Amino acid sequence: METISHFCIMQLKDRNFEPEFKFKTSRSSGAGGQHVNTTETKVELIWIVNESALVSEAEKAKLLKKLAGSINDKGELRINSSESRSQASNKERVISKFYSLLEKALKKEKKRIPTKVPKAVKENILKKKKLHSFKKEERRFNPKNLL
């Protein structure tokens, strides 16, 4: 129980997720000429959400819900980067993407406070409705107007 509350207080950047990461490299596509064809600069970070010891159960549930589109059937969160020609800088980018993605997903949502529609707006809506109905009424065929 103490560890769960400890994680909630702890910032994401303070937790060291690096031992839980698996990195996979491959050849990048796009510009770069012969360099791209010979070096594996594309880096993919794989992190298994359910196996993480650094995230509480409540946070795991929130992550699974919010990042459902990014997490596959095995529970793996996969993030990749091939922006740079350097594998090291792509690795740094992937790690920073990971932390920003987690921060965004675990950010506490503000509760929406419902507001009342102002009286002037309600009156304006009614005025527009009456004007519209009057316009339609004028277009209708009325035999009395022929006499």
Side-chain angles (χ1 to χ4, degrees):
M1 278 298 190
E2 291 176 32
T3 55
I4 292 172
S5 61
H6 176 67
F7 286 136
C8 294
I9 296 166
M10 219 173 155
Q11 293 293 321
L12 280 174
K13 296 270 183 193
D14 297 337
R15 304 180 203 179
N16 187 16
F17 286 96
E18 309 245 350
E20 296 182 351
F21 293 158
K22 291 177 190 165
F23 292 101
K24 187 178 176 184
T25 59
S26 60
R27 291 183 183 163
S28 276
S29 61
Q34 292 174 340
H35 177 75
V36 169
N37 299 333
T38 57
T39 56
E40 294 194 347
T41 55
K42 181 180 178 180
V43 177
E44 184 175 30
L45 180 144
I46 303 165
W47 180 63
I48 303 170
V49 180
N50 292 324
E51 292 180 11
S52 178
L54 297 170
V55 182
S56 70
E57 291 301 318
E59 288 174 326
K60 283 179 188 177
K62 199 172 192 180
L63 285 171
L64 289 170
K65 182 182 175 189
K66 292 252 180 128
L67 301 175
S70 303
I71 298 172
N72 64 16
D73 299 336
K74 299 173 189 173
E76 298 171 338
L77 174 66
R78 290 176 173 255
I79 305 167
N80 48 22
S81 175
S82 59
E83 296 162 25
S84 173
R85 289 179 60 174
S86 161
Q87 191 182 91
S89 62
N90 279 336
K91 190 174 183 179
E92 287 174 19
R93 279 195 175 120
V94 157
I95 292 170
S96 68
K97 279 183 185 180
F98 170 81
Y99 281 111
S100 63
L101 192 67
L102 279 196
E103 277 181 19
K104 193 175 178 183
L106 293 175
K107 189 176 181 181
K108 190 175 181 182
E109 293 177 15
K110 289 184 179 178
K111 186 178 178 186
R112 185 188 173 279
I113 302 168
T115 57
K116 284 178 75 174
V117 179
K119 194 173 185 178
V121 173
K122 284 182 180 178
E123 288 172 1
N124 210 1
I125 291 168
L126 277 173
K127 208 180 282 182
K128 283 181 183 177
K129 280 184 175 182
K130 284 179 183 175
L131 221 146
H132 190 69
S133 77
F134 177 73
K135 196 189 312 177
K136 297 288 185 181
E137 187 68 39
E138 285 292 310
R139 291 180 189 161
R140 272 200 199 138
F141 176 73
N142 192 349
K144 291 179 183 176
N145 290 344
L146 296 174
L147 298 174

